[in-house]
């Protein structure tokens, strides 16, 4: 099965090309929208992975052009969930989308699901085995007791609720996972890599500044930036504000 990867970011593209090749796919890559449109015509790939933020064209326009002449399945790679109007993308003819940072396993699961749907799947059981689940099992496991108390902070892993001084705060799924990860060992430093691996899954194809963005959002919701201390050049730790 042949995949056309349209991605201008070299670090992401190289990882993906390597991973997909290892998983048994033939991969061709385009770094611009114009190249994508030419390559799709010349190579007739079985699936297109299409980054939305391209240097020369909007990925949506690339999608529109491809869809205007081809039924090739298209999976959009979007930078943030809020950047992408799912309905619009699907109206343009994309078949699916994944939001960066996504795990390689998740991406392969989507490709396989799509390939199955269009009956293209000639790829041996390579990459991810049986696990096509999109729900990463809680990276922190579920062994931890519910209602962990850290100073005025209470984290209930069972219900995924968080309270500060008894007042519940609303966290996104990733913010909760990040907090739960840091809270496994309050005071201990977690490196960005550890955080990425535990909160975002083992394979990482997104900018590391996503961690910092989530830390910033979490600090804001916790009401005191000192809850999460940045350890310069290393990572972050959770601490009760003095
Ligand atoms: Ca891009």
């Amino acid at each position: 099965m042949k995949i056309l990867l349209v991605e201008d970011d070299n670090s992401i593209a190289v990882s993906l090309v390597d991973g997909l090749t290892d998983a048994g796919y033939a991969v061709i890559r385009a770094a611009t929208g114009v190249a994508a449109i030419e390559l799709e015509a010349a190579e007739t790939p079985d699936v297109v992975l299409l980054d939305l933020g391209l240097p020369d064209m909007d990925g949506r326009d690339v999608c529109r052009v491809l869809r205007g002449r081809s039924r090739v399945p298209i999976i959009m790679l979007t930078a943030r969930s809020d950047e992408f109007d799912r309905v619009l993308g699907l109206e343009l003819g994309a078949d699916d989308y994944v939001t960066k940072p996504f795990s390689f396993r998740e991406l392969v699961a989507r490709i396989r699901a799509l390939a199955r749907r269009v009956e293209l799947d000639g790829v041996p059981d390579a990459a991810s085995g049986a696990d096509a689940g999109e729900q990463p099992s809680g990276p922190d496991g579920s062994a931890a007791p519910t209602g962990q108390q850290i100073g005025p902070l209470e984290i209930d892993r069972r219900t995924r609720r968080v309270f500060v001084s008894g007042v519940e705060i609303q966290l996104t799924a990733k913010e909760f996972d990040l907090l739960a990860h840091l809270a496994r060992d309050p005071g201990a430093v977690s490196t960005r890599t550890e955080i990425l691996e535990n909160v975002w899954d083992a394979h990482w194809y997104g900018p590391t500044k996503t961690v910092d963005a989530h830390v910033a959002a979490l600090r804001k919701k916790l009401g005191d930036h000192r809850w999460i201390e940045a350890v310069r050049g290393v990572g972050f730790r959770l601490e009760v504000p003095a």
Side-chain angles (χ1 to χ4, degrees), residues 7-9 12 51-55 100:
E7 171 61 77
D8 60 309
D9 185 319
I12 295 175
D51 178 37
L52 278 191
L54 296 168
K100 295 175 187 172

Side-chain angles (χ1 to χ4, degrees), residues 138-155:
D140 292 273
S142 44
T146 65
Q148 181 186 2
Q149 195 79 41
I150 305 166
L153 175 66
E154 185 186 348
I155 302 170

Side-chain angles (χ1 to χ4, degrees), residues 205-223:
Y205 297 97
T208 54
K209 63 176 187 250
T210 298
V211 174
D212 299 68
H214 279 76
V215 166
L218 191 50
R219 279 175 172 151
K220 204 169 172 185
K221 290 185 179 179
L222 290 171

Side-chain angles (χ1 to χ4, degrees), residues 6 62 71 73 121 134 143 153 164 171 177 224:
V6 186
V62 177
R71 294 180 53 79
D121 200 354
E134 287 169 22
L153 175 66
V164 177
L171 301 181
D177 290 341
D224 190 329

